[in-house]
Amino acid sequence: MAQEKADESEAAQTQQQPPSPLAQSGADGSSTYFNQQVPIPQDDRQVWFSFRKLWAFTGPGFLMSIAYLDPGNIESDLQSGAKAGFKLLWVLLGSTVIGLLLQRLAARLGVVTGMHLAEVCHQQYHAVPRIILWLMVELAIIGSDMQEVIGCAIAFNLLSSGRIPLWGGVLITIIDTFVFLFLDNYGLRKLETFFGLLITIMAVTFGYEYVMVRPDQGELLKGMFVPRCQGCGPSQMEQAVGIVGAVIMPHNIYLHSALVKSRQIDRSSAKEVKEANKYFFIESTIALFVSFLINVFVVAVFAEAFYGRTNMEVHDVCNATHGLHADLFPFNNETLQVDIYKGGVVLGCFFGPAALYIWAVGILAAGQSSTMTGTYSGQFVMEGFLNLRWSRFSRVLLTRSIAITPTLLVAIFQDVTHLTGMNDFLNVLQSMQLPFALIPILTFTSLSSLMSEFANGLFWKIWGAVMVLLVCCINMYFVVIYVATLNNIWLYVLAAFLSIAYLVFVGYLAWLCLIALGMSCLDVFGRVQNDTMVLIEQRPEFDT
């Protein structure tokens, strides 16, 4: 009886104690998509850095970095090398650095609030903008997923010497993705180890191609650290814009903010939150450095071996070596145009069948890993924006069906050798969705009502605003270039109407973002309640 009274007294004291702002903002920080959380080892020593703690935090950054290695990025890399040689490596480096700093904001949001970006959008935005935002992000995920699944299908086609058709490769990818997605039932660390294995396969396969081709290291370093593009024309400039669009992907911001919830962090302790932010940033830096090296491998291989070559040269070599599909390359003196499929064929013609099959294995690892992380992105986004609480299988089935259905239709009605136009369209589609990730992440990480003492300072607000504006402008330029090539008056009219609606919505999000950055003079409707809340609808705590 006395024990019961003591328990009741302790419970009453606990209820009376007000939670800290950090704990309040997180709602239930322990909630995560995964079935378990990784504990962080405690260290009584007052040291700035611990390898044991870094190892405990290692995982989310490498899963995030897979989006920098998906088939869309690999295709952008090989086209960059074939069209511009080593001249655009500095663009790849700059894009990766910008991507790292944007991922830092995503990770901080998840660590500090205990909610990922889609959950925060559900809590903070009004219903109509929230639904529109969700639809735009879903479009980006579908576009990315189509490239990833098609990349896997192309890999199966190359590995089987054309015996497995494109639609067959898509079906295989769908099945094995379902299987691999349930690996986390055997432990989160095992799942992260599997993703690490896929990244290792990419590093080994593309590294093998790099060693075989032996690119000029001096030209490589000059292209990486000297920002110039001497002799570049419109084609090279379009490729530079395409690199930025391929590297910085909207759904990856949502993904990273959710993955960091898989670590046990006491969000009521500012010290632990600060420590988590530090280690997640270090881990993300290492992960993106590895992904950058793999991207450099691909650019360098095609820059050294195929830059400046003509279709006639490649056609002759493929005929002489009895390579697969020599008829892919017309007998003319036009500059060689390559994609993931043709890239593998060309490598096989010049460096032997082993180079082709090793290339295909690397593409398969890239496509399979990015398809799985894309599925996680889709589930986080749908759960967060719509506040769904479905069974695990129902969530996987729905998000897979949304993304896979258009991919399967493309695979059935398109030939494997004629996918470049589709990839261009998907790149444009994803470029248009970038503001719908970058503007919200900058908005919410600048709110002290959400982030407490970890809200963006003046430097990060200015830097973030400039970077978001720069990236969005670059990608809008990419969209304009693509629309200009349509050569159809009705498509121009349709694009004009869609552009007006698009710019109005982006302007609305940018308006809220500027108020969050401190420009309260823009709050013309007087809806700001205090100096920490922007004109965003107040909602109850998110139910996690």
Side-chain angles (χ1 to χ4, degrees), residues 320-336:
T321 57
H322 306 290
L324 291 172
H325 305 299
D327 56 323
L328 285 175
F329 311 100
F331 199 69
N332 58 41
N333 279 319
E334 293 183 7
T335 303
L336 175 67

Side-chain angles (χ1 to χ4, degrees), residues 190-360:
K190 290 184 176 66
L191 177 72
E192 292 173 348
T193 301
F194 178 71
F195 279 106
L197 174 63
L198 293 177
I199 294 174
T200 303
I201 291 173
M202 285 184 268
V204 171
T205 52
F206 298 138
Y208 169 84
E209 309 283 2
Y210 180 86
V211 172
M212 178 175 287
V213 173
R214 290 179 297 196
D216 186 325
Q217 302 301 305
E219 287 297 315
L220 186 148
L221 292 174
K222 186 163 66 173
M224 189 181 300
F225 296 109
V226 179
R228 65 179 182 87
C229 193
Q230 187 175 357
C232 289
S235 176
Q236 287 77 18
M237 298 309 294
E238 290 176 23
Q239 189 60 44
V241 173
I243 291 173
V244 179
V247 168
I248 304 173
M249 305 182 72
H251 69 274
N252 210 32
I253 303 294
Y254 289 86
L255 175 67
H256 197 196
S257 65
L259 293 174
V260 296
K261 293 170 61 178
S262 60
R263 268 50 183 177
Q264 288 182 1
I265 302 167
D266 180 7
R267 290 180 175 82
S268 64
S269 169
K271 179 183 177 182
E272 286 198 25
V273 171
K274 184 177 181 180
E275 181 181 71
N277 285 332
K278 177 183 70 178
Y279 281 107
F280 275 131
F281 182 66
I282 294 172
E283 185 237 0
S284 297
T285 303
I286 296 171
L288 288 190
F289 177 72
V290 173
S291 72
F292 173 70
L293 287 182
I294 295 174
N295 282 312
V296 168
F297 288 162
V298 178
V299 174
V301 165
F302 283 83
E304 182 68 28
F306 306 114
Y307 174 55
R309 290 192 182 272
T310 63
N311 287 321
M312 186 179 295
E313 290 179 75
V314 176
H315 185 278
D316 290 341
V317 172
C318 285
N319 272 337
T321 57
H322 306 290
L324 291 172
H325 305 299
D327 56 323
L328 285 175
F329 311 100
F331 199 69
N332 58 41
N333 279 319
E334 293 183 7
T335 303
L336 175 67
Q337 300 289 330
V338 288
D339 53 27
I340 287 178
Y341 181 75
K342 292 180 182 177
V345 173
V346 170
L347 286 171
C349 292
F350 278 77
F351 301 102
L356 184 152
Y357 292 119
I358 290 172
W359 169 262

Side-chain angles (χ1 to χ4, degrees), residues 150 165-168 170-171 404-416 419:
I150 291 293
L166 199 61
W167 61 267
V170 170
L171 291 177
I404 289 296
T405 302
T407 309
L408 191 57
L409 293 175
V410 168
I412 292 172
F413 295 106
Q414 277 275 26
D415 183 70
V416 70
L419 292 173

Side-chain angles (χ1 to χ4, degrees), residues 52-71:
R52 289 180 65 238
K53 287 191 175 182
L54 177 62
W55 178 248
F57 282 105
T58 297
F62 280 90
L63 268 68
M64 168 273 295
S65 72
I66 286 171
Y68 291 72
L69 296 168
D70 72 341

